């Protein structure tokens, strides 16, 4: 599969770090960020690369040449005049494979691309977006999808957004079928997001691939220095899903939000004190933060799936405002006891996911390659602790004396 890396940006916001070299050549632990990207690709068998360059592009071309000393083959397209961040794709269309990877050269990442490509091929869309949560969703573009992972809405920063939303941000990594380049674009400059990708929202042809792996833009000096620290501490490489992950599984009611019995009304959802600080500490530690919650209100017919989704969107929105995020949310909608008015009969079953059974933890382990023995389950009830033990996790219990924040402080 061909890989196109867009390396033509000027990087004006980060010019105070390095103004005399193109942004992709800024050093991370002694190597240009673009070299780190190429190494990540080469290790996974992606060796056929096209670099699109413009501003100070000769520096990039002189350094990487034909790519042979880096174990890859590199072709170049030099933009003599600015074509926007996607115009070059139309110029190199004949050189592309039917599906190709499209990446930015100014981000630090370490991603299992084979897993990403497999997702794309399974869903047979025109585009697959690599999406993830971040610690500032309130000023990021948001991707809204349905249960089939199809992108329904693409909300840019300037677009109006709902009060509550899932923390899902486009990370700037894509698998694209070159069929989208068959359209006629009248403008000389082409904007990838606004002219090519965003119009696919709602068509069923664009999918989002949710992943907790490390992808960070280095658009400002502050973000650059944060990436340098993350790389030095090993957080960049460790988040690649080809490596075993560690997770802290969290119950919801009574652990993250105030316990009100069966929570049916979104207005009843209220984060407990210091929960955002606790989850932010989990985020910074390298552990995944994953919610696993029993929600029998679905089977009881008291809350719809859409209403539960909005409650969870409120949880993610409130956490995001505080700079914290969740890597995954799993819920069990079942309940084993039948015979109640308004119940949903097909959900009244003795399932494998309802805690204290460990089904949700097992599913998360499969999805994120988690080592359960190195992970924790934290909750406020016997069923939470038993679910953790049944999955082989270490466990801790929230009490009046020890909150989630206290526990996270103790175990990390």
């Amino acid at each position: 599969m061909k890989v196109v890396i867009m390396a033509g940006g000027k990087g004006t916001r980060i010019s105070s770090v390095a103004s005399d070299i193109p942004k992709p050549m800024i050093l991370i632990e002694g190597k240009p960020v673009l070299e780190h990207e190429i190494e990540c690709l080469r290790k996974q068998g992606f060796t056929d690369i096209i670099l699109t360059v413009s501003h100070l592009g000769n520096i990039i071309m002189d350094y990487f040449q034909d790519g042979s000393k880096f174990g890859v083959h590199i072709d170049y397209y030099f933009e003599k005049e600015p074509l926007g961040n996607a115009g070059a794709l139309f110029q190199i269309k004949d050189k592309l494979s039917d599906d190709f990877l499209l990446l930015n050269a100014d981000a630090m990442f370490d991603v299992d691309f084979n897993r990403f490509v497999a997702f794309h091929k399974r869903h047979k869309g025109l585009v697959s977006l690599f999406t993830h949560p971040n610690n500032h969703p309130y000023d990021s573009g948001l991707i809204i999808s349905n249960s089939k992972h199809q992108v329904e809405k693409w909300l840019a920063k300037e677009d109006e957004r709902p009060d509550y939303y899932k923390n899902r941000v486009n990370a700037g990594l894509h698998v694209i079928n070159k069929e989208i380049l068959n359209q006629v674009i009248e403008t000389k400059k082409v904007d990838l997001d606004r002219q090519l990708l965003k119009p696919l929202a709602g068509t069923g042809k664009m999918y989002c691939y949710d992943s907790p792996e490390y992808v960070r833009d280095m658009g400002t000096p502050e973000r650059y220095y944060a990436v340098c620290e993350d790389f030095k501490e090993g957080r960049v490489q460790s988040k690649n899903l080809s490596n075993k992950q560690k997770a802290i599984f969290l119950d919801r009611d009574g652990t993250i939000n105030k316990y009100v019995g069966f929570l049916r009304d979104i207005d009843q959802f209220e984060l407990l004190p210091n929960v955002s600080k606790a989850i932010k500490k989990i985020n910074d530690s390298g552990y995944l933060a994953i919610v696993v919650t029993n929600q029998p209100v679905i089977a009881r017919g008291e809350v719809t799936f859409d209403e539960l989704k909005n409650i969870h969107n409120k949880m993610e929105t409130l956490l995001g405002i505080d700079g914290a995020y969740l890597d995954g949310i799993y819920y069990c909608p079942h309940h084993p006891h039948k015979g109640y008015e308004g119940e949903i009969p097909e959900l009244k079953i003795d399932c494998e996911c309802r805690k204290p059974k460990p089904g949700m933890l097992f599913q998360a382990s499969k999805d994120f390659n988690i080592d359960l023995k190195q992970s924790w389950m934290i909750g406020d009830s016997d069923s939470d602790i038993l679910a953790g033990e049944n999955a082989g996790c270490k466990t801790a219990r929230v009490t009046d004396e020890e909150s989630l924040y206290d526990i996270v402080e103790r175990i990390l």
Side-chain angles (χ1 to χ4, degrees):
M1 178 180 283
K2 288 274 190 180
V3 181
V4 179
I5 304 179
M6 298 183 289
K10 290 186 177 182
T12 52
R13 291 183 299 162
I14 199 173
S15 59
S16 63
V17 174
S19 59
D20 57 343
I21 58 173
K23 190 176 173 184
M25 297 301 291
I26 293 175
L27 299 182
I28 304 288
E29 287 295 296
K31 289 183 183 178
V33 62
L34 180 54
E35 185 175 347
H36 287 292
E37 292 187 4
I38 289 173
E39 285 183 352
C40 177
L41 291 161
R42 176 186 55 77
K43 289 176 183 176
Q44 300 178 59
F46 296 90
T47 58
D48 195 356
I49 298 171
I50 301 175
L51 292 179
T52 66
V53 298
S54 58
H55 177 67
L56 300 177
N58 59 301
I59 297 176
I60 294 174
M61 296 168 72
D62 289 345
Y63 186 87
F64 291 100
Q65 299 181 28
D66 66 357
S68 56
K69 67 178 182 179
F70 301 96
V72 298
H73 174 75
I74 300 176
D75 287 323
Y76 296 90
Y77 179 80
F78 198 106
E79 293 184 19
K80 295 180 181 179
E81 55 181 329
L83 298 175
N85 62 2
L89 295 178
F90 290 87
Q91 305 301 317
I92 62 174
K93 177 182 172 183
D94 292 341
K95 295 183 179 181
L96 300 176
S97 50
D98 287 342
D99 288 321
F100 63 95
L101 275 169
L102 179 63
L103 314 176
N104 290 315
D106 55 3
M108 173 57 77
F109 57 70
D110 199 324
V111 167
D112 187 342
F113 283 107
N114 285 302
R115 182 187 281 241
F116 183 25
V117 169
F119 170 92
H120 175 79
K121 291 186 179 299
R122 254 189 339 267
H123 290 85
K124 300 178 182 179
L126 286 180
V127 175
S128 294
L129 306 175
F130 186 105
T131 50
H132 64 165
N134 73 14
N135 59 9
H136 54 101
Y138 47 82
D139 67 357
S140 301
L142 297 173
I143 304 298
I144 298 175
S145 78
N146 60 24
S147 59
K148 296 179 180 179
H149 307 287
Q150 293 168 322
V151 176
E152 294 187 326
K153 292 182 181 179
W154 179 309
L155 300 179
K157 294 179 186 179
E158 65 270 17
D159 292 335
E160 185 178 353
R161 61 182 62 192
D163 291 336
Y164 304 124
Y165 48 81
K166 181 173 179 61
N167 185 342
R168 180 192 282 123
V169 176
N170 179 25
L173 313 180
H174 323 75
V175 186
I176 294 177
N177 187 288
K178 71 176 182 180
E179 182 184 324
I180 73 166
L181 301 176
N182 291 338
Q183 61 188 293
V184 177
I185 303 291
E186 300 294 343
T187 57
K188 182 175 292 186
K189 291 184 179 181
V190 183
D191 186 282
L192 176 67
D193 290 354
R194 288 169 175 78
Q195 291 178 271
L196 292 187
L197 301 184
K198 190 175 179 181
L200 289 176
T203 66
K205 298 178 180 179
M206 182 163 62
Y207 291 79
C208 60
Y209 171 78
D210 292 329
S211 173
E213 292 170 292
Y214 193 99
V215 184
R216 292 287 188 276
D217 169 59
M218 300 191 309
T220 65
E222 292 76 20
R223 291 179 185 174
Y224 166 72
Y225 292 121
V227 167
C228 289
E229 182 66 21
D230 285 341
F231 190 90
K232 186 176 180 180
E233 296 297 322
R235 287 188 282 267
V236 178
Q237 306 89 325
S238 67
K239 297 301 282 291
N240 187 306
L241 287 182
S242 64
N243 302 317
K244 280 292 184 183
Q245 303 296 305
K246 298 185 296 183
I248 295 181
F249 296 100
L250 303 168
D251 174 50
R252 197 193 78 180
D253 302 314
T255 301
I256 290 177
N257 57 285
K258 184 178 179 181
Y259 183 77
V260 294
F262 289 120
L263 194 155
R264 305 174 181 88
D265 185 343
I266 193 170
D267 292 334
Q268 294 178 301
F269 186 94
E270 179 183 341
L271 291 179
L272 288 167
N274 293 320
V275 159
S276 294
K277 289 183 180 179
I279 293 176
K280 189 175 189 305
K281 192 172 184 67
I282 296 171
N283 300 150
D284 294 340
S285 74
Y287 278 80
L288 302 178
I290 298 176
V291 169
V292 288
T293 175
N294 290 346
Q295 290 301 317
V297 287
I298 299 289
R300 290 160 61 101
E302 296 170 344
V303 173
T304 66
F305 284 102
D306 283 343
E307 288 169 336
L308 180 63
K309 180 179 179 180
N310 207 31
I311 289 169
H312 287 161
N313 286 348
K314 181 176 182 179
M315 175 169 62
E316 294 206 59
T317 302
L318 295 177
L319 290 171
I321 290 170
D322 292 335
Y325 59 86
L326 299 168
D327 294 293
I329 300 174
Y330 293 79
Y331 64 86
C332 169
H334 307 113
H335 193 262
H337 304 140
K338 301 179 182 179
Y340 295 89
E341 184 179 353
E343 68 185 19
I344 311 298
E346 60 268 28
L347 298 178
K348 285 288 188 169
I349 60 172
D350 185 11
C351 63
E352 293 301 315
C353 52
R354 180 175 167 81
K355 294 178 292 185
K357 292 182 180 179
M360 287 186 285
L361 288 80
F362 286 158
Q363 186 60 52
S365 175
K366 179 181 178 182
D367 292 343
F368 295 123
N369 194 20
I370 295 170
D371 183 350
L372 292 170
K373 291 183 179 179
Q374 297 299 314
S375 300
W376 287 82
M377 174 71 219
I378 303 176
D380 68 326
S381 71
D382 291 343
S383 66
D384 297 323
I385 302 305
L386 287 171
E389 291 174 350
N390 290 334
C393 296
K394 294 169 276 189
T395 62
R397 186 162 185 162
V398 171
T399 64
D400 290 339
E401 290 73 36
E402 191 172 40
S403 68
L404 175 61
Y405 181 78
D406 297 328
I407 293 171
V408 169
E409 278 272 276
R410 170 169 60 82
I411 67 177
L412 293 183

